[in-house]
Amino acid sequence: MDTFEAFLAERLDPLLRYATTLTCDPHQAQDIVQEVVLRAQQRWDRISRVDLPAAYVKRMVTNEFLSWRRRTRDLVFPSTAIAELTPAVADPTGGVDDREVLLAGIARLPRKQRAAVVLRYYDNRTDAEIAEELRCSAVTVRSHISRAVATLRAQFTATCAMEAL
Amino acid sequence: MKTEEFDGLLRESLRLMATRAPAAGAVRLAGGNQARRRVLIGVALAIVVLPVVLWVGWPRPVLPPGDTGPTADRLDTPMTSGPTWLPPEFTERSRGRKFDGSQYRTFARTGEAPDSGQLLTFSYLLGDPGPNTPPGAPVANVEVNGHPAWLSGDGTDVVILGWSADSRQYQLDAQSTGLAGGELLRVAESVSAGRSDLLSTALVPPAGFELRDIAVHGTTAADAAMSMTLRGPFTVVLDVVPAPLPERYGDPVTVRGRPAQVFSLAPPVFGGHDVKLFVDLGGDRWLVARAQDERSASTLGPEDLIRVAETVGIGDTPPAPWMGLRP
């Protein structure tokens, strides 16, 4: 990969898609990728010399998603406040797409669980690869994924039961 | 639904989310000229400054704390309710007040990274708030010091305990803490309504904006930050944080007589506008402001957020000696 511009031409779209699945929020995804791209541009001389620059930059996106500053934002935005600040939008189809139900649940998962789920089910990574990305053990990865899937299944089942009434 | 079917649905859902990614054109690069200019300026500064530094020593910070922009007096809000017992290793991380008058305090295990999402949130509403009802079907009906209470949750990661007593509604929300319902009950039974704790801030909303949420948060007293959420023609979130931020590449502007950088992000997927502003307040404090307007016809621009940042009242961050400690 010679230039940063060439790298971006090939990798920016996948990075944005990855960030969007992590955040479940295109606004925040753009914000995260914007910050990472600017930092990567500044350090490109060094990044371009690592074995897998794309993986390196992708990890920068993961780290930015998990960073403490973004977590403190959550602290001042309790879930009820988010609901209050976000105007409800009527579903024009009058029905509920199963995928939307699941996405709503994914968006409420704790960040490390969400990252583990995205790396497994969107990025098809192994436990070991996810552990390396999240800097934890493979056992912790399995625990994150297991708890996340159990939570999502429970929410999904409950929503489907409500729909059936 | 079988496991394989659910896994397939999970994959499909994430692929659907990925299709909502912003277009690549929404991400900006620092311009080549800008980058080259930065290098040239750096070299020139090194040539000029290095001999001076070697001769007289490193200069003092360029931006000492100052009193530019509207200031604000310290505002103390009494927090009369709080737990007096917490599970081992839990310490207090934040205190806040929301638009509906409810107050909240969050707790996490000592040493737990703030990004872990493992939080115990205690919140309460004063006055006559009406019936305290669970968000979904309660998993158990219990009692807290003789008062009827409910336990709710998804069975795995989130457990919520709610009850009413002394004309107050109480709620304990444990997210990914691993705490069992019994431990939550013990925390709930320790809640005292006669405490004399304080939420201390020094922020005043500008005219035309309604205060939705004000909070102090951090890990220890040394890194306490003040925050507030405002609603007016658009939504604004303001943070006054104690640590310098990484270098950014927004458009340079001057706000409150201080150097600042502004980003204007225009997500093309949902429309609307999103502007971010960083102001160096001096004395190792930064104002981080973000404005969001989700209306597709929004005309929100950097000047709107700058106007808010120019007129918001900001005082010295009050000490938060309770942060990182047990009650």
Side-chain angles (χ1 to χ4, degrees), chain B residues 157-168:
Chain B
D157 226 27
V158 181
V159 183
I160 305 171
L161 173 63
W163 74 103
S164 298
D166 309 319
S167 298
R168 299 176 184 202

Side-chain angles (χ1 to χ4, degrees), chain B residues 107-119:
Chain B
F107 307 91
R109 285 187 176 85
T110 308
E112 191 71 67
D115 65 359
S116 70
Q118 299 173 3
L119 275 183

Side-chain angles (χ1 to χ4, degrees), chain A residues 54-96:
Chain A
Y56 187 95
V57 176
K58 194 169 189 177
R59 184 175 294 179
M60 288 173 73
V61 169
T62 309
N63 290 340
E64 185 65 25
F65 167 68
L66 295 172
S67 78
W68 70 269
R69 285 193 178 85
R70 292 182 189 282
R71 181 61 211 167
T72 55
R73 166 63 46 243
D74 289 355
L75 283 181
V76 296
F77 258 134
S79 54
T80 49
I82 289 175
E84 164 62 25
L85 289 172
T86 307
V89 178
D91 178 1
T93 65
V96 179

Side-chain angles (χ1 to χ4, degrees), chain B residues 46-194:
Chain B
I47 291 169
V48 173
V49 173
L50 196 58
V52 177
V53 168
L54 291 173
W55 182 251
V56 300
W58 193 253
R60 294 169 59 196
V62 178
L63 289 171
D67 55 355
T68 55
T71 187
D73 292 332
R74 170 175 165 156
L75 177 66
D76 289 335
T77 304
M79 299 195 81
T80 53
S81 279
T84 56
W85 180 87
L86 290 174
E89 298 183 4
F90 273 76
T91 58
E92 191 159 10
R93 296 294 181 89
S94 74
R95 292 178 178 179
R97 181 165 55 87
K98 291 197 284 188
F99 61 93
D100 60 1
S102 64
Q103 300 180 345
Y104 62 89
R105 307 163 74 147
T106 65
F107 307 91
R109 285 187 176 85
T110 308
E112 191 71 67
D115 65 359
S116 70
Q118 299 173 3
L119 275 183
L120 175 63
T121 302
F122 168 73
S123 55
Y124 62 100
L125 192 57
L126 304 173
D128 184 13
N132 189 351
T133 51
V139 293
N141 290 307
V142 291
E143 282 191 353
V144 173
N145 295 329
H147 299 284
W150 46 261
L151 266 171
S152 180
D154 55 22
T156 52
D157 226 27
V158 181
V159 183
I160 305 171
L161 173 63
W163 74 103
S164 298
D166 309 319
S167 298
R168 299 176 184 202
Q169 277 189 4
Y170 294 105
Q171 198 160 298
L172 271 170
D173 184 331
Q175 180 168 314
S176 300
T177 57
L179 294 176
E183 287 174 294
L184 279 189
L185 268 175
R186 187 169 170 196
V187 176
E189 286 174 343
S190 80
V191 167
S192 161

Side-chain angles (χ1 to χ4, degrees), chain A residues 77-134:
Chain A
F77 258 134
S79 54
T80 49
I82 289 175
E84 164 62 25
L85 289 172
T86 307
V89 178
D91 178 1
T93 65
V96 179
D97 186 328
D98 285 351
R99 295 174 302 176
E100 299 290 358
V101 172
L102 217 43
L103 284 175
I106 292 168
R108 287 196 295 268
L109 289 174
R111 287 179 178 235
K112 281 202 172 164
Q113 286 188 22
R114 205 189 316 167
V117 164
V118 168
L119 288 165
R120 162 62 49 79
Y121 291 96
Y122 176 72
D123 219 24
N124 297 315
R125 306 274 201 99
T126 64
D127 287 347
E129 289 168 340
I130 298 170
E132 195 183 338
E133 183 91 10
L134 300 183

Side-chain angles (χ1 to χ4, degrees), chain A residues 30, chain B residues 21-23 26 266-271:
Chain A
Q30 182 182 336
Chain B
V269 176
F270 292 150

